């Protein structure tokens, strides 16, 4: 990460800045103080300059005063930090007052020669005050950050206590009561950790936090249905195994969050990523290019050893049963070429070192450096092609989710033999996906994407056996609706992970092709997760509407559904050959905006307030109306039956967009009305995305049909001329509403908790 303006300041030891909110709060202060100190070499100044400096000094003092008031209010509410925070606030206020005094024109000295006044001639005093101010302000911010960490730990502890209670329940009534409490606690925890994730400066920690939170989000639904199944069938061993695995995974994810938040590892261990081939090649290439700067930087044996270490890790590719003979031979040939080029480089290097006059790379050595770098680049490109190609083939192969369908069908029929057979098929699919994730990790290109690959690998590895145990339970109790519902939830989690893998694949391609840097791009806006004082009557702040736990839970459930629908949009968009088609681009845009609204429900992303959410919803409605316009144009190319189908959905979409637009433009006051408006906006957005999911495959089918008949759509008239064209069948038009990733809302599950089958 590039150094920030704060990095040059000599802070107190031990005050490491780990969050964006602390850094972004300090940057304006550093800028203002720098403005003051930059005038130190010009003691004589015009009246206009003096006034400008005085204004800056006063602005610093006023800003510090407000800042300290917040710090003092926080100190009152947190007894354990009261003394330390009070001292830091006192020092900050004193330093701010000193700066105001040093820049005050009224206390300036008049020069005897020209009558001009000198502002802050005490340069030493100014530097001392600036250092004290930055140090004390940083300390206040770091102390406040500790409170955020404490809030997350407290929230986690509540979740753990309730989790243990859920694990021990023996009746449905008790389970309903405790799970309701658990759901509210998880919503609170999700918001706190979401804020923290956005605020972290370290992109690797950010990626790890995202992975852990994704596990918790999916496991919450799994825990609900797995526990219900276990309560309904208490003597079923497979149901117990299924449930225990969910509880174990949730606890592990909670511990991962704590490790990231507290920056601690068990027994003092350090979290180290397994070294990927990409990282090995990057380090090797860096050392090779570094030879230009110094011929004696490292022994030649180190260079050969480094390359051999990279080649050794390629066994994940060459030893795989799923790597084709052609690809295996290609990788081995490129490895041999890299070895030869490295040997030639070492020879040229040794000759250059033996020459008394050679202080830098010779022409021959320069050529060897270029050849070696090119050969390892070709090797990396081949590995990327193999890994990405296999992942893409697997995603296409498993797009229909045939093993999952077979397990559901055989389980519902009570056929244990068939379940065992299809379980083996799913196991093979799981092994392929796990190995492919490992290969993608080798070529991901950045550490955050490596972490995401590892998360995907672990998810497939864990969920596969859970699906099998859920299917076995259903086969043992084929009439059980709860067992069927449980299997559905685990299958949906698997399908959702396949969708996430498709997104990961696109990101890895983007990094390789230079379209992005791989790390999550930091928000340009300052995002502050620091705590606000609960009692701040003397502070002029805007009063925000705060939703209670039940309202937060409701919004979070709607957000989860929205997220799953956007995954469906991505899946349908992938099926289009023409990714630049207006319908595709506008569909993607709607999906992206809906996803940002989903992030809002989790306390993540750029949308921080309900006002911003409503503005996003309004922009989404306008984009939806643009899509309606594109659909209308598209329909002019169609024959009657197809045209009616598209226009019917277009009219539905237009009505929903107009409804959303009117809703977000209607002003409301009060907490209840604001909650209702948020709820309505997200529900309308969900309905819009649902229509888009239906339209994308319908329009894609039509485009493919006309392309196959006439190589391209041609003019609208040319399409109408083909009256003999076969119309798309009704079941195609009405059956493409892929809802494979649709999980029932938590609210629906809660409503069904008290339902017990009679059979």
């Amino acid at each position: 990460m590039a150094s920030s303006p704060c990095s040059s300041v000599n802070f107190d030891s031990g005050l490491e800045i780990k969050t964006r909110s602390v850094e972004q709060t300090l940057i304006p202060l550093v800028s203002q103080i720098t403005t003051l100190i930059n005038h130190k070499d010009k003691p004589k100044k015009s009246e206009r300059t003096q006034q400008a400096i005085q204004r800056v000094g006063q602005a610093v003092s006023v800003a510090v005063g407000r800042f300290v008031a917040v710090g003092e209010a926080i100190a009152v509410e947190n007894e354990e930090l009261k003394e330390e925070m009070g001292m830091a606030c006192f020092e900050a206020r004193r330093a701010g007052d000193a700066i105001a005094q040093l820049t005050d024109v009224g206390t300036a000295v008049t020069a005897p020669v020209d009558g001009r006044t000198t502002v802050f001639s005490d340069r030493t005093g100014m530097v001392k005050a600036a250092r004290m101010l930055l140090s004390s302000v940083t300390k206040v911010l770091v102390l406040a950050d500790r409170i955020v960490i404490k809030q997350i730990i407290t929230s986690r502890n509540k979740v753990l206590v309730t989790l243990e209670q859920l694990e021990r329940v023996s009746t449905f009534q008790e389970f309903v009561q405790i799970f309701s409490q658990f759901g509210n606690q998880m919503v609170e925890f999700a918001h706190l950790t979401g804020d923290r994730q956005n605020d972290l400066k370290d992109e690797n920690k950010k990626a790890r936090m995202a992975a852990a939170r994704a596990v918790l989000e999916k496991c919450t639904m799994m825990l609900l249905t797995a526990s219900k199944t276990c309560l309904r069938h208490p003597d079923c061993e497979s149901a117990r195994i299924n449930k225990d695995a969910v509880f174990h995974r949730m606890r592990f994810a909670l511990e991962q969050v704590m490790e990231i938040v507290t920056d601690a590892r068990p027994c003092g261990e350090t979290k180290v990523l397994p070294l990927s081939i990409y990282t090995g090649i990057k380090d090797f290439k860096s050392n090779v290019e570094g030879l230009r700067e110094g011929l004696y930087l490292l022994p030649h044996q180190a260079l050969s050893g480094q390359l051999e270490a990279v080649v050794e890790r390629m066994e994940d590719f060459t030893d795989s049963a799923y790597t084709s003979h052609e690809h295996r031979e290609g990788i081995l040939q490129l490895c041999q070429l890299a070895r030869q080029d490295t040997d030639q480089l070492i020879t040229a290097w040794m000759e250059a070192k033996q020459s008394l006059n050679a202080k830098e790379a010779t022409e021959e050595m320069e050529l060897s450096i270029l050849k070696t770098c090119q050969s390892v680049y070709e090797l990396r490109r081949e590995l990327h092609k193999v890994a990405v190609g296999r992942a893409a083939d697997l995603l296409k192969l498993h797009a229909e989710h045939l093993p999952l369908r077979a397990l559901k069908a055989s389980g519902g029929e009570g056929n244990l033999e068939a379940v065992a057979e299809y379980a083996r098929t799913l196991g093979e699919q799981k092994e392929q996906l796990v190995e492919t994730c490992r290969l993608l990790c080798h070529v991901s290109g950045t550490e955050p994407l490596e972490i995401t690959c590892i998360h995907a690998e672990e998810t497939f590895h864990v969920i596969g056996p859970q699906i099998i145990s859920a299917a076995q339970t259903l086969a043992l109790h084929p009439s059980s609706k709860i067992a069927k519902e449980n299997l559905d939830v685990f299958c949906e989690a698997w399908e959702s992970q396949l969708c996430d893998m498709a997104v990961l694949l696109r990101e890895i391609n983007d990094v390789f092709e230079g379209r992005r840097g791989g790390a999550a791009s930091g928000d340009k806006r300052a995002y502050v997760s620091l705590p606000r004082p609960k009692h701040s009557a003397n502070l002029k702040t805007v009063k925000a509407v705060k939703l209670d736990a039940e309202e937060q839970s409701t919004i979070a459930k709607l957000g989860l559904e929205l997220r799953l629908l956007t995954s469906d949009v991505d899946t349908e968009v992938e099926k289009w050959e023409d990714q630049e088609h207006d319908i595709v681009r506008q569909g993607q845009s709607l999906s992206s905006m809906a996803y940002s609204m989903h992030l809002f429900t989790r306390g993540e992303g750029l949308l921080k307030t309900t006002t911003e959410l409503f503005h996003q919803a309004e922009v989404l409605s306008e984009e939806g109306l643009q899509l309606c316009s594109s659909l209308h144009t598209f329909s002019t190319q169609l024959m009657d039956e197809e045209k009616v189908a598209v226009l019917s959905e277009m009219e539905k979409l237009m009505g929903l967009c107009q409804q959303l637009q009117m809703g977000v433009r209607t002003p409301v006051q009060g907490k209840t009305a604001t909650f209702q408006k948020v709820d309505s906006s997200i529900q309308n957005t969900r309905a819009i995305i649902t229509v888009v999911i239906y339209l994308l495959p319908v329009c894609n089918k039509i485009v493919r049909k006309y392309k196959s008949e006439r190589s391209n759509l041609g003019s609208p008239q040319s399409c109408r001329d083909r009256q003999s064209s076969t119309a798309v069948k009704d079941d195609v038009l009405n059956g493409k509403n892929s809802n494979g990733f649709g999980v029932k809302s938590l609210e629906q599950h809660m409503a069904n908790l008290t339902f017990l089958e009679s059979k």
Side-chain angles (χ1 to χ4, degrees), residues 136-180:
S136 55
V137 167
T138 304
K139 192 166 187 178
V140 171
L141 290 167
V142 172
L143 288 171
D145 193 58
R146 283 191 209 166
I147 298 169
V148 176
I149 295 172
K150 178 187 171 185
Q151 290 172 345
I152 296 174
I153 293 172
T154 302
S155 178
R156 187 284 305 255
N157 291 340
K158 289 179 185 176
V159 169
L160 273 179
V161 169
T162 313
L163 198 64
E164 290 177 4
Q165 293 173 351
L166 279 174
E167 200 168 16
R168 294 194 303 265
V169 297
S170 57
T171 66
F172 260 89
Q173 185 177 1
E174 186 183 7
F175 177 78
V176 171
Q177 182 181 358
I178 297 175
F179 189 84
S180 178

Side-chain angles (χ1 to χ4, degrees), residues 225-283:
T225 57
S227 298
K228 285 167 60 181
T229 305
C230 223
L231 286 169
R232 179 65 182 86
H233 309 289
D235 299 326
C236 183
E237 180 67 12
S238 57
R240 185 192 61 76
I241 291 172
N242 185 258
K243 171 191 163 186
D244 289 348
V246 177
F247 276 90
H248 174 76
R249 196 158 186 241
M250 282 205 79
R251 287 195 176 94
F252 183 73
L254 287 167
E255 286 309 308
Q256 282 186 312
V257 171
M258 286 303 98
E259 288 171 11
I260 299 161
V261 169
T262 61
D263 207 19
R265 294 283 297 168
C267 305
E269 298 174 10
T270 303
K271 181 70 174 179
V272 179
L273 288 173
L275 195 60
S276 68
I277 293 174
Y278 165 78
T279 303
I281 287 178
K282 183 177 72 172
D283 292 344

Side-chain angles (χ1 to χ4, degrees), residues 316-480:
D316 283 343
F317 286 82
T318 56
D319 291 358
S320 169
Y322 306 110
T323 301
S324 69
H325 176 72
E326 179 185 355
H327 284 146
R328 184 178 293 107
E329 287 299 311
I331 293 170
L332 292 174
Q333 287 175 9
L334 288 170
C335 285
Q336 188 59 32
L337 179 62
R339 285 192 182 104
Q340 292 173 1
D341 288 340
T342 303
D343 289 342
Q344 290 177 6
L345 170 61
I346 290 172
T347 300
W349 178 19
M350 297 300 291
E351 290 175 356
K353 287 174 67 176
Q354 290 169 2
S355 172
L356 295 177
N357 298 324
K359 294 183 179 180
E360 55 186 26
T362 62
E363 185 176 341
E364 183 182 355
M365 184 176 166
E366 177 64 28
L367 182 61
S368 295
I369 289 174
L370 293 175
K371 285 180 66 179
T372 303
C373 289
Q374 180 63 28
S375 62
V376 293
Y377 170 76
E378 293 295 336
L379 179 57
R380 180 197 165 198
R381 185 167 66 177
E382 178 67 16
L383 295 171
H384 175 86
K385 183 175 74 172
V386 171
V388 169
R390 183 190 297 182
D393 291 343
L394 269 181
L395 289 172
K396 289 178 183 177
L397 180 63
H398 301 308
E400 301 299 322
H401 311 297
L402 296 180
L404 301 184
R405 292 182 183 180
L407 281 170
K408 289 179 184 179
S410 54
E413 294 167 358
N415 190 338
L416 281 168
E417 290 184 3
V419 166
E421 179 185 346
Y422 292 120
R424 285 192 292 272
T425 303
L426 183 66
E428 292 173 4
Q429 180 179 330
K430 181 206 74 174
E431 290 303 321
Q432 289 180 359
L433 289 166
V434 164
E435 186 178 285
T436 301
C437 289
R438 197 173 300 132
L439 299 189
L440 288 175
C441 183
H442 278 306
V443 302
S444 57
T446 69
E447 287 191 2
L449 286 179
E450 285 180 25
I451 291 167
T452 307
C453 290
I454 293 169
H455 165 67
E457 178 185 342
E458 292 172 349
T459 300
F460 285 124
H461 185 75
V462 171
I463 294 183
Q466 288 178 309
I467 290 173
I468 293 170
S469 62
Q472 290 169 343
T473 302
L474 179 59
L476 292 169
H477 307 279
S479 61
S480 172

Side-chain angles (χ1 to χ4, degrees), residues 294-308:
L295 300 179
Y296 303 92
L297 288 177
L298 73 167
H300 68 272
Q301 297 91 341
L303 207 59
S304 298
Q306 195 175 12
L307 178 62
E308 288 307 314

Side-chain angles (χ1 to χ4, degrees), residues 159-207:
V159 169
L160 273 179
V161 169
T162 313
L163 198 64
E164 290 177 4
Q165 293 173 351
L166 279 174
E167 200 168 16
R168 294 194 303 265
V169 297
S170 57
T171 66
F172 260 89
Q173 185 177 1
E174 186 183 7
F175 177 78
V176 171
Q177 182 181 358
I178 297 175
F179 189 84
S180 178
Q181 178 186 352
F182 177 76
N184 292 333
Q185 290 172 348
M186 283 301 295
V187 169
E188 178 191 8
F189 188 70
H191 278 283
L192 288 172
T193 53
D195 287 350
R196 191 66 179 180
Q197 178 183 320
N198 275 347
D199 205 15
L200 289 169
K201 289 171 60 181
D202 189 314
E203 294 296 342
N204 290 357
K205 288 183 179 179
K206 220 170 194 176

